[in-house]
DNA sequence: TGTACATCAGTGAACGCGCGTTCACTGATGTAC
DNA sequence: TGTACATCAGTGAACGCGCGTTCACTGATGTAC
């Protein structure tokens, strides 16, 4: 029996790599062989750790979602959160950023378990933003938070899709001013 | 020589099918064989019409982008445009809707030519929204349009990603109220 | 402490499959006379 | 108007490739005595 620690460490390495690769290359963008190679292993050993590729995708998305939310949880106020979310660094490093902004449009075609994680992620991000909103909003705080979350996600999706850094920045800046205007 | 019309009609059938399939299944979601079958042909004939799969993707995205913008151009005012964009019908039929909201997060990984089309699409949608904005905005009209476009795209991406129709509707409704509040 | 055995994480060849692309062909249609 | 020929859109078998998954195996490590 190999030490439990060693197996857990390998498992962790695979999941961590997959959480990054998923956001960088999409749900269909990484092969089992590639993932195992990144973890320093050969592809055959994969099934000692996961029942199937899909099982890893579920675990990796959960990891990616938690990771990116954790870093936003630390923000002291809304403008700090918005600043980080709409930063050039976030735009350029989808593999370390918001799962929704990285995988949003592909999620619709994924199995239920994956969509459930995305749903929880969207709710958590909304709650996170809502906490920073003052009571005196025209709309309810939750709905206001939904508008801000939509604008944040939309701006990042557009910023990454277009081929002009200037246009990308224009979208991010406009939304930044809007979200921190209160 | 087969009549020029017949060839053009076939070409058109392939492009139209691809424009829909692309938005429904993603850039990597449709095979040449599937596309040709949908057009009532066998896969081998594909190269009588396109230099490569990628050439078709370019043509199909151009079509998809133009199509979805055309229908938004007809809208009489901002609230009509927003209403249509954030409708349940649009959410449920990505294959006939906004290319940015359907393919946004996958576009980053596509070749330059594809990203160029997405860039033009984002600009056009912004201009379309800007036209409906009054002069008396706190920000410039263009930046205000960018915020609205971001919120529209983001809300649709989130609405389609989550597995709860109620949550989807909550995002769409919140953004609808925001975008038509002026 | 030293030896024999059991376990199982990880190896790497092999599988069936669908992919984009190529190519020799066919047969309907347009053109020339 | 009728016949012979040229064109080329479309057919379908074949290619090399990477995919997810399976499986017989190996060898390092933990356990029993």
């Amino acid at each position: 029996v190999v030490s439990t620690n060693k197996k857990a460490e390998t498992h962790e390495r695979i999941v961590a790599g997959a959480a990054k690769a998923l956001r960088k290359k999409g749900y269909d963008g990484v092969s089992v062989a590639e993932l195992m190679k990144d973890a320093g292993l050969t592809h055959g050993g994969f099934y000692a750790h996961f029942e199937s590729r899909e099982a890893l995708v579920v675990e990796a998305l959960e990891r990616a979602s938690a990771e990116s939310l954790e870093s936003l949880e630390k923000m002291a106020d809304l403008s700090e959160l918005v600043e980080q979310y709409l930063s050039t660094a976030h735009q350029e490093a989808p593999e370390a950023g918001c799962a929704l902004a990285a995988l949003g449009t592909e999620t619709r075609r994924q199995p239920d378990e994956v969509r459930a994680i995305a749903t929880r992620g969207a709710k958590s991000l909304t709650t996170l933003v809502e906490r920073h909103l003052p009571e005196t909003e025209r709309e309810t705080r939750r709905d206001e938070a939904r508008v801000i979350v939509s604008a944040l996600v939309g701006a990042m999706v557009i910023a990454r899709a277009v081929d002009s850094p200037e246009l990308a920045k224009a979208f991010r800046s406009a939304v930044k001013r809007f979200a921190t205007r209160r």
Side-chain angles (χ1 to χ4, degrees), chain A:
Chain A
V1 181
V2 169
S3 107
T4 322
N5 265 359
K6 207 197 155 208
K7 185 177 183 188
E9 278 163 25
T10 302
H11 186 98
E12 162 62 24
R13 229 181 318 128
I14 300 169
V15 172
K20 283 198 185 306
L22 218 62
R23 284 174 282 181
K24 187 170 188 175
K25 306 186 176 180
Y27 290 109
D28 299 335
V30 258
S31 68
V32 167
E34 200 177 340
L35 248 10
M36 291 301 278
K37 201 175 184 184
D38 287 349
L41 302 165
T42 53
H43 64 275
F46 180 81
Y47 296 88
H49 292 280
F50 307 95
E51 203 186 301
S52 64
R53 184 185 184 283
E54 198 193 307
L56 168 63
V57 167
V58 166
E59 208 171 318
L61 182 64
E62 222 145 31
R63 172 70 55 94
S65 186
E67 250 179 36
S68 64
L69 285 166
E70 260 169 45
S71 92
L72 291 177
E73 262 167 29
K74 292 178 196 145
M75 302 296 109
D77 55 27
L78 185 64
S79 74
E80 201 179 326
L81 186 152
V82 166
E83 203 96 15
Q84 161 150 334
Y85 196 99
L86 295 174
S87 66
T88 306
H90 186 201
Q91 181 189 319
E92 288 173 356
E95 72 275 9
C98 176
L100 211 47
L103 295 161
T105 63
E106 297 176 65
T107 302
R108 171 171 46 90
R109 301 185 297 266
Q110 296 301 308
D112 289 347
E113 225 175 328
V114 168
R115 300 191 69 198
I117 297 167
T119 306
R120 268 182 271 130
K123 283 180 182 168
S124 300
L125 183 54
T126 306
T127 304
L128 227 75
V129 168
E130 192 183 352
R131 274 200 211 112
H132 292 301
L133 293 178
E135 295 289 351
T136 56
E137 290 291 343
R138 184 199 296 232
E139 304 289 336
T140 68
R141 285 165 80 224
R142 168 131 319 174
D143 273 0
E144 182 72 9
R146 285 185 179 126
V147 172
I148 293 173
V149 167
S150 296
L152 290 176
V153 172
M156 192 48 70
V157 168
I158 293 169
R160 285 177 181 156
V162 301
D163 61 9
S164 150
E166 293 76 24
L167 186 62
K169 186 153 191 138
F171 271 93
R172 293 189 282 118
S173 300
V175 169
K176 203 184 293 182
R177 275 194 295 277
F178 157 70
T180 57
R181 116 210 92 117
R182 68 214 68 250

